[in-house]
Amino acid sequence: MLKFVKNHMESITGIEIYPMISLLIFFVFFVVLFYWVITAKKDYIKTVSNIPLDNQNDTEI
């Protein structure tokens, strides 16, 4: 089965660019995410981390 897929993919011209594009998107996403985490304000992180523990917004059924 894998040989069939591999041979079929090798016959498509220009397909070798797609793994490179996928890797680039993956890398850029995590670099931007890392930058956002490093530059996030500590007050914002503390506020967001306490949201699940905040019981004031809960409604009882």
Side-chain angles (χ1 to χ4, degrees):
M1 180 70 179
L2 187 58
K3 283 185 176 183
F4 174 73
V5 172
K6 185 178 177 184
N7 289 336
H8 182 65
M9 292 293 195
E10 287 176 349
S11 68
I12 301 173
T13 57
I15 199 165
E16 63 273 357
I17 192 70
Y18 290 109
M20 298 290 239
I21 291 172
S22 299
L23 180 65
L24 183 65
I25 290 171
F26 179 79
F27 184 74
V28 167
F29 173 77
F30 280 103
V31 166
V32 169
L33 187 66
F34 182 73
Y35 176 76
W36 178 79
V37 168
I38 295 299
T39 60
K41 295 187 187 320
K42 301 301 178 193
D43 292 334
Y44 176 73
I45 299 295
K46 186 178 279 189
T47 302
V48 172
S49 67
N50 286 330
I51 288 175
L53 303 174
D54 186 19
N55 291 331
Q56 294 176 358
N57 294 332
D58 290 345
T59 58
E60 294 186 27
I61 296 176

